[in-house]
Amino acid sequence: MNSRYRLIIFIFIFFSFHAKSQLFFTEQKNQSIHQFSINDIEIEGDLAPFTYEIELDSFQTNFYIVRVRFTTDYPNKLPEFKLNINYPKDLVDALWSSRSWSSKSFITVPNYSRLQSKYNIVSAISRENKNRLTIATFDDFEGKYTSININYKYRYMQFSLGHFEKSIPESDLLSYTTSIILDFRNQPYSNSIRNAADWRIGKDKKYKVPDNDFKQMPVYSLWYPLHQNIPLESVTHYFDSIVAMGFRSVLIDDGWQNVVQFNVSPTGLWKPKDTKIISNLIAKGHKDSLKIGLWMSQPFLGNQGIIASKFNGQFLQYRNASVPLLDVRYPDVREYLLKVYTNLLKDWDIDAIYFNYLNAYYPDDEVIVTQDNGRDFISVQNALDTLKATIFNEVNLFKPTLNIKQTYPVVGPLNTSNTKTISGFLGTNVLTNIREKVVNNRLIYGNKTPFMEVMGVHPEESSLDIALKFQTMLFGVPYVSYYSYTIPQEINKTLHFWIKYWKSNEKYLFHSNFEALYPVKHYPVLIAGNETKQIYCLYDSNFDIDLADVDFKGVEVINSTKDQTINLKANVNAAFEYVTKDHTGKQIDAGYLRIRKNGKAIKIPQGGLMQLFVINE
């Protein structure tokens, strides 16, 4: 054998071995190959006089709960410590956290400091949107003193669960327990977050997440009429058109306090019975079979001199407002607010109430007051919890069927500086932020996802923009607001189509599997459904719709991008019958379609959808 042939054989063997090595590495990277043991947990800090023991339980393969119990022989302050977990950094391509605020649903590493959120959930994700490691924590103080720091340490990404870094409980203790969920399962990261959130929220005794009553959804909000100074009497006249549009409930939204003039008694209490505007609206809504909800926000004093005089000195200064709030750490303030709420609910036949301020009452424990004037709580949060429990118990006595909303935190982009996303969004320039907030809440709360943003409909908007806005919150609970007498026919037609679509697909959108792909890119692909039907919504045409193994009977692809053409691919050759509709629901095409493994460019109008039905050949 001459040297030339030897060289060719050598090159062939080398590249064959190299290809197999690369394939092995890729296969390893696509699996959760990290073998976890109790020795992977490091505890860092001066723990004396406490000692600790670690207990490790396994729910199933690669799914663990770790409990760390600290004890001491005599009461003492809890020590500051870190609980470190290391994971190979080359297996992680993105990170998600329950503090996915701002406009990013991912974490920039290294050195992301004080990743503190209500639920303390973090997920490390592969490039293929698979879970690598999802962490959730809960302790004796409901995570209040816990944060998560993420750093690089040699070849590892270190998840450092900091405890009592900034402050510690005031009481001396004999024991303390913290628990951590560690999920290494090779599954969609969306599923791991949902499992972790169910565990974490289930531990919370103060905030029970209420079920959504989908028979009362979607919701028509009075936000737009109220902020356009449209009289409520005028709104009441077109409730029949609200029913015809597909709405089943009405939210008397924030802002009603500005148009409803209450008479105030010498004791500072409102007199709801004297306000006929709301009473008439509620009566008309019930006549049209609509459920009526009422928004209640922070207890600002406003310009009511009687209230300001009655509670002189018992205020908190709200950080983003010029008017003070009543300080619920005083028993007479809580008694007053209890009467305000219960009087409203007794005098008006309200079906649901949105206790918004109970989640957003700041500042918290850091508030400093010079005189307590009979204050019986130091903690604002503890006082709020007491007020909330008292209100719920009182309401349950005379109206046990009342639907109580917004009694738990909302996660997602924090847009307090962007007024377009606070009190109803108009236009399409904020759709990415709105979508992120909807998706983050859906990942945390599943089909119990709470009220999010109000979709305002302006008569000068295009019907296409209305379709794109509705598609932004398609996988959440739509709250829509407009004035019926001013919206053009094309908008009316578009809105009616998408409300009908949402209602008819509730089973697949909310009660089936849900996946949110590519958090680093702000969730450009969302998927929901089961083996009968899958719904894909594409928000960025730089990504493909991947039908994978086509393990369903039908699929609907919604084009919410800026383009008319998207790429559709699958792992197998598949044949479909299809129907294409534009953003108003009008059918524009139908026929036969075959998709090869290498994908196919298909045309769907912007804001429209394609329905595909699998043909068994």
Side-chain angles (χ1 to χ4, degrees):
M1 184 180 295
N2 60 38
S3 58
R4 180 182 178 184
Y5 285 114
R6 287 177 179 174
L7 177 60
I8 291 173
I9 292 172
F10 172 80
I11 292 173
F12 174 79
I13 293 173
F14 173 80
F15 280 105
S16 297
F17 176 79
H18 178 70
K20 289 181 179 179
S21 299
Q22 290 295 101
L23 177 61
F24 174 78
F25 176 78
T26 301
E27 290 175 344
Q28 292 288 76
K29 186 176 177 65
N30 287 335
Q31 299 175 12
S32 184
I33 61 173
H34 183 65
Q35 298 300 315
F36 175 75
S37 74
I38 201 168
N39 295 325
D40 290 331
I41 301 174
E42 305 171 354
I43 295 184
E44 176 185 338
D46 183 5
L47 305 179
F50 286 85
T51 59
Y52 70 89
E53 58 180 2
I54 303 177
E55 178 184 310
L56 180 66
D57 287 336
S58 178
F59 291 148
Q60 53 182 275
T61 304
N62 293 326
F63 191 26
Y64 307 93
I65 181 169
V66 179
R67 298 183 186 87
V68 185
R69 180 175 173 82
F70 294 81
T71 57
T72 181
D73 292 333
Y74 52 90
N76 213 308
K77 299 291 184 187
L78 287 169
E80 176 186 342
F81 70 93
K82 294 180 180 179
L83 196 152
N84 301 326
I85 300 165
N86 298 323
Y87 190 83
K89 68 179 182 180
D90 62 348
L91 298 180
V92 178
D93 293 289
L95 290 161
W96 181 97
S97 99
S98 54
R99 196 194 180 193
S100 296
W101 287 343
S102 179
S103 60
K104 298 178 180 179
S105 295
F106 66 98
I107 308 164
T108 303
V109 290
N111 299 322
Y112 191 96
S113 178
R114 293 275 305 166
L115 180 63
Q116 188 173 37
S117 63
K118 174 64 182 177
Y119 294 126
N120 286 333
I121 301 173
V122 173
S123 185
I125 307 167
S126 76
R127 186 173 287 105
E128 297 79 20
N129 295 287
K130 297 294 186 180
N131 174 63
R132 292 303 192 198
L133 168 61
T134 295
I135 300 174
T137 71
F138 185 83
D139 67 357
D140 292 343
F141 302 99
E142 301 174 349
K144 184 176 182 180
Y145 302 96
T146 307
S147 63
I148 301 178
N149 295 271
I150 301 174
N151 302 284
Y152 286 149
K153 183 179 180 182
Y154 185 44
R155 294 184 298 107
Y156 293 95
M157 182 175 288
Q158 184 177 80
F159 298 84
S160 184
L161 281 64
H163 295 71
F164 316 113
E165 293 175 309
K166 299 295 183 181
S167 59
I168 60 175
E170 296 181 1
S171 303
D172 292 350
L173 299 175
L174 284 169
S175 65
Y176 163 77
T177 300
T178 185
S179 300
I180 306 100
I181 283 283
L182 298 176
D183 184 353
F184 296 93
R185 290 174 296 175
N186 184 31
Q187 63 176 2
Y189 84 94
S190 307
N191 295 353
S192 290
I193 290 173
R194 282 294 311 122
N195 296 151
D198 278 343
W199 173 81
R200 172 61 185 85
I201 295 172
K203 292 282 188 182
D204 204 327
K205 305 303 181 184
K206 294 180 180 178
Y207 298 97
K208 184 180 185 297
V209 180
D211 292 325
N212 276 322
D213 184 355
F214 286 92
K215 294 179 181 178
Q216 298 180 21
M217 296 172 180
V219 181
Y220 174 80
S221 164
L222 289 179
W223 172 83
Y224 184 85
L226 287 168
H227 287 273
Q228 293 295 316
N229 297 316
I230 295 171
L232 291 183
E233 297 94 327
S234 300
V235 178
T236 307
H237 288 315
Y238 69 77
F239 272 5
D240 54 345
S241 71
I242 297 299
V243 174
M245 182 66 80
F247 293 104
R248 292 295 176 262
S249 60
V250 172
L251 170 60
I252 304 173
D253 215 325
D254 194 23
W256 65 267
Q257 304 93 327
N258 299 324
V259 298
V260 177
Q261 298 299 319
F262 281 104
N263 293 323
V264 180
S265 71
T267 61
L269 288 174
W270 295 343
K271 297 180 179 180
K273 283 184 178 179
D274 295 342
T275 307
K276 300 301 181 184
I277 297 176
I278 298 292
S279 299
N280 293 339
L281 183 147
I282 294 170
K284 178 63 167 64
H286 286 163
K287 184 179 179 180
D288 291 326
S289 300
L290 290 166
K291 298 293 185 181
I292 308 296
L294 179 71
W295 182 277
M296 292 296 290
S297 59
Q298 290 88 346
F300 295 114
L301 293 183
N303 297 320
Q304 294 289 352
I306 295 176
I307 302 173
S309 175
K310 178 180 176 63
F311 297 106
N312 184 29
Q314 297 174 317
F315 314 138
L316 292 176
Q317 187 61 47
Y318 194 65
R319 275 181 282 195
N320 295 323
S322 58
V323 293
L325 279 76
L326 292 175
D327 189 343
V328 293
R329 296 178 295 178
Y330 294 92
D332 54 340
V333 169
R334 295 195 301 276
E335 182 180 359
Y336 166 76
L337 291 175
L338 175 64
K339 290 179 180 178
V340 167
Y341 282 118
T342 54
N343 283 354
L344 278 174
L345 297 173
K346 287 177 180 177
D347 293 349
W348 295 345
D349 192 12
I350 296 291
D351 302 298
I353 190 163
Y354 291 70
F355 280 116
N356 182 47
Y357 85 87
L358 290 174
N359 296 325
Y361 206 134
Y362 296 100
D364 203 340
D365 296 347
E366 296 79 11
V367 174
I368 299 175
V369 293
T370 55
Q371 295 178 341
D372 64 23
N373 296 328
R375 188 182 64 199
D376 61 350
F377 277 95
I378 296 175
S379 166
V380 175
Q381 187 59 55
N382 289 343
L384 274 173
D385 291 337
T386 299
L387 173 62
K388 184 176 69 173
T390 306
I391 291 173
F392 292 178
N393 291 336
E394 183 78 12
V395 168
N396 190 59
L397 293 176
F398 65 87
K399 192 158 189 175
T401 59
L402 185 73
N403 191 354
I404 299 175
K405 300 281 191 177
Q406 287 300 99
T407 60
Y408 54 105
V410 175
V411 298
L414 188 63
N415 292 308
T416 54
S417 62
N418 188 345
T419 57
K420 293 179 181 178
T421 62
I422 295 176
S423 55
F425 66 98
L426 295 167
T428 56
N429 62 326
V430 294
L431 296 189
T432 298
N433 286 349
I434 299 296
R435 184 173 73 248
E436 275 196 286
K437 184 181 288 189
V438 170
V439 172
N440 287 335
N441 276 270
R442 180 67 188 273
L443 291 175
I444 292 289
Y445 297 111
N447 61 12
K448 297 182 179 182
T449 186
F451 167 82
M452 290 304 307
E453 297 286 357
V454 176
M455 173 183 152
V457 178
H458 193 279
E460 295 182 5
E461 291 184 285
S462 71
S463 59
L464 174 57
D465 283 354
I466 299 304
L468 295 176
K469 290 203 296 184
F470 200 98
Q471 290 159 15
T472 295
M473 55 186 192
L474 184 68
F475 298 86
V477 176
Y479 284 69
V480 185
S481 189
Y482 60 94
Y483 185 48
S484 183
Y485 289 170
T486 60
I487 64 170
Q489 181 60 31
E490 190 78 358
I491 289 181
N492 192 297
K493 181 180 178 181
T494 301
L495 193 57
H496 186 269
F497 171 73
W498 285 106
I499 288 175
K500 183 178 179 181
Y501 182 87
W502 184 89
K503 292 174 67 175
S504 62
N505 286 286
E506 173 203 317
K507 173 182 178 181
Y508 307 106
L509 291 170
F510 282 93
H511 306 294
S512 303
N513 190 48
F514 173 72
E515 290 187 53
L517 307 187
Y518 311 111
V520 173
K521 298 298 182 179
H522 317 295
Y523 307 123
V525 183
L526 300 179
I527 311 167
N530 55 26
E531 67 280 358
T532 300
K533 182 177 180 178
Q534 296 277 314
I535 297 174
Y536 287 71
C537 195
L538 182 67
Y539 301 92
D540 185 340
S541 56
N542 292 314
F543 294 82
D544 297 334
I545 291 292
D546 188 352
L547 302 180
D549 297 323
V550 192
D551 50 355
F552 45 77
K553 296 179 181 178
V555 62
E556 294 180 354
V557 178
I558 301 170
N559 179 15
S560 199
T561 73
K562 297 179 179 179
D563 299 313
Q564 300 274 347
T565 302
I566 66 175
N567 192 50
L568 196 63
K569 65 181 184 179
N571 294 339
V572 295
N573 294 332
F576 303 90
E577 292 181 352
Y578 75 89
V579 173
T580 306
K581 298 180 179 180
D582 68 8
H583 69 275
T584 69
K586 178 183 176 182
Q587 181 175 323
I588 61 171
D589 194 14
Y592 172 84
L593 176 68
R594 183 179 292 276
I595 299 175
R596 305 289 183 182
K597 290 183 180 181
N598 57 353
K600 183 178 182 65
I602 61 173
K603 289 188 176 181
I604 302 176
Q606 185 184 10
L609 77 158
M610 178 180 281
Q611 298 170 314
L612 300 109
F613 310 94
V614 177
I615 299 174
N616 295 319
E617 296 182 320

